């Protein structure tokens, strides 16, 4: 079964090699690497060039954001199974073998999602394993998109990412899949390691709120309360960072991470 992995990049020279090594280490014979670059000005391409299979799938052109890059990559993909792996994330060993095995045994399943390990890229940084869940999506994105694999025909059925959302289009896509009754399998396996510091904060929550309202999962009043709570947490983090520094903030983050299972 052919797998296409989309790797959106933009000035990713510091992290892209770890990502590519984790893909190539899967030792999957029928694999297409699609690198959709947004016009990097650093050494991203020269690092990709060290890996001929990856360079074969390289394309660099301006885009209107990460979801536009993902959509372009999906349109170039030729595999039956499509994965998206950000250029600062990495697959764990054996990920493709486990995922493809599930798809092969379940031909009617459109999406397979697993867990991710989130870690702070610093000495003694916090770490947490976050599972995927379809039961808590009314609260936010609890399907771990970096550990999610999609059949090509799902994109044909529900469409690509809505680029009108700057950092929440994966949440919208997941909800559209559920509304279309796409069959899903959730696994506890950890497929992907992801650096902390991606999308988050009050802006992400506000966009999440718009998505929940558009899918009739919430109300304007309810989202106003959620937004206020998120802003309070954001300001608290900034206060702790300014007064006590990164080490204390990291300790607090690790404590809070251990109290939750989903994002």
């Amino acid at each position: 079964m052919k797998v296409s992995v989309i790797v959106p990049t933009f000035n990713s020279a510091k992290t892209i090699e770890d990502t590519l090594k984790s893909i190539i280490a899967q030792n999957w014979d029928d694999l297409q690497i699609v690198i959709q670059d947004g016009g990097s000005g650093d050494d991203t391409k020269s690092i990709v060039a060290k890996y001929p299979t990856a360079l074969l799938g390289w394309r660099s052109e301006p885009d209107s954001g990460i979801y536009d890059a993902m959509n372009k990559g999906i349109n170039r993909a030729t595999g039956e199974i499509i994965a998206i792996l950000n250029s600062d994330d990495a697959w764990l060993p054996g990920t493709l073998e486990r995922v493809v095995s599930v798809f092969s045994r379940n031909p009617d399943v459109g999406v397979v999602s697993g867990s991710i390990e989130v870690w702070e890229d610093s000495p003694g940084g916090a770490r947490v394993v976050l599972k995927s869940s379809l039961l808590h999506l009314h609260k936010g994105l609890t399907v771990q998109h970096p550990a999610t694999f999609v059949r090509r025909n799902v994109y044909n059925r529900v469409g690509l990412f809505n680029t009108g959302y700057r950092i929440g289009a994966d949440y919208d896509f997941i909800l559209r899949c559920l509304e279309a009754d796409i069959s899903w399998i959730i696994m506890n396996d950890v497929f992907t390691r992801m650096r902390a510091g991606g999308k988050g904060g009050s802006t992400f929550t506000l966009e999440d709120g718009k998505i929940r309202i558009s899918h009739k999962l919430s109300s304007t009043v309810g989202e106003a309360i959620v937004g206020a709570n998120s802003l309070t947490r954001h300001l608290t983090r900034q206060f702790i960072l300014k007064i006590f520094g990164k080490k204390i903030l990291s300790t607090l983050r690790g404590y809070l991470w251990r109290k939750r299972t989903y994002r």
Side-chain angles (χ1 to χ4, degrees):
M1 187 177 293
K2 185 173 184 178
V3 177
S4 295
V5 54
I6 316 301
V7 184
T9 61
F10 182 71
N11 291 337
S12 304
K14 293 182 179 180
T15 59
I16 184 65
E17 188 157 26
D18 287 342
T19 301
L20 293 178
K21 285 180 177 179
S22 79
I23 295 171
I24 294 168
Q26 300 295 312
N27 291 320
W28 196 254
D29 291 336
D30 206 359
L31 176 66
Q32 177 194 25
I33 302 175
V34 178
I35 301 181
Q36 188 66 41
D37 183 73
S40 293
D42 65 357
D43 292 331
T44 299
K45 185 176 182 180
S46 63
I47 294 172
V48 172
K50 295 163 60 176
Y51 304 91
T53 304
L55 185 61
L56 188 64
W58 168 271
R59 179 178 295 176
S60 185
E61 59 191 1
D63 58 51
S64 59
I66 189 168
Y67 294 111
D68 185 33
M70 290 178 182
N71 287 345
K72 290 179 176 180
I74 292 168
N75 285 330
R76 295 170 54 205
T78 58
E80 180 181 349
I81 306 302
I82 297 177
I84 297 174
L85 189 65
N86 290 327
S87 59
D88 56 353
D89 297 343
W91 279 337
L92 271 65
T95 288
L96 287 189
E97 183 178 359
R98 285 174 284 169
V99 169
V100 174
S101 175
V102 172
F103 277 115
S104 297
R105 296 195 310 270
N106 300 275
D108 294 331
V109 166
V111 185
V112 172
S113 295
S115 302
I116 60 174
E117 181 189 41
V118 186
W119 60 290
E120 289 183 328
D121 191 4
S122 60
R127 294 172 183 261
V128 66
V129 170
L130 298 179
K131 298 180 180 181
S132 285
S133 171
L134 299 177
L135 302 178
H136 304 277
L137 285 166
H138 61 287
K139 298 179 181 180
L141 180 57
T142 52
V143 170
Q144 308 305 335
H145 193 240
T148 294
F149 300 77
V150 181
R151 284 195 197 269
R152 164 180 292 283
N153 60 21
V154 172
Y155 288 109
N156 295 336
R157 182 173 170 185
V158 306
L160 302 179
F161 295 103
N162 182 347
T163 57
Y165 294 117
R166 188 171 64 88
I167 47 179
D170 43 355
Y171 188 19
D172 170 71
F173 174 77
I174 297 300
L175 293 174
R176 283 191 280 126
C177 286
L178 292 178
E179 291 165 356
D181 293 323
I182 301 298
S183 181
W184 215 297
I185 287 182
I186 301 292
M187 301 177 66
N188 287 327
D189 304 55
V190 180
F191 292 144
T192 306
R193 296 187 72 227
M194 175 179 139
R195 286 178 173 83
K199 60 187 184 181
S202 57
T203 301
F204 174 58
T205 301
L206 290 173
E207 191 165 273
D208 269 11
K210 293 179 182 178
I211 293 169
R212 281 191 289 269
I213 291 171
S214 72
H215 289 274
K216 297 181 172 54
L217 293 178
S218 184
S219 66
T220 303
V221 173
E223 289 306 323
I225 295 172
V226 171
N229 290 336
S230 177
L231 178 61
T232 300
R233 291 194 299 269
H234 172 72
L235 294 175
T236 300
R237 287 195 299 269
Q238 295 303 309
F239 175 79
I240 293 172
L241 179 62
K242 184 176 181 179
I243 301 300
F244 299 104
K246 291 183 178 180
K247 187 173 182 179
I248 296 298
L249 180 61
S250 177
T251 301
L252 177 62
R253 177 181 285 164
Y255 169 74
L256 294 174
W257 277 358
R258 287 190 295 273
K259 293 177 64 177
R260 67 182 184 178
T261 305
Y262 310 106
R263 185 181 299 277

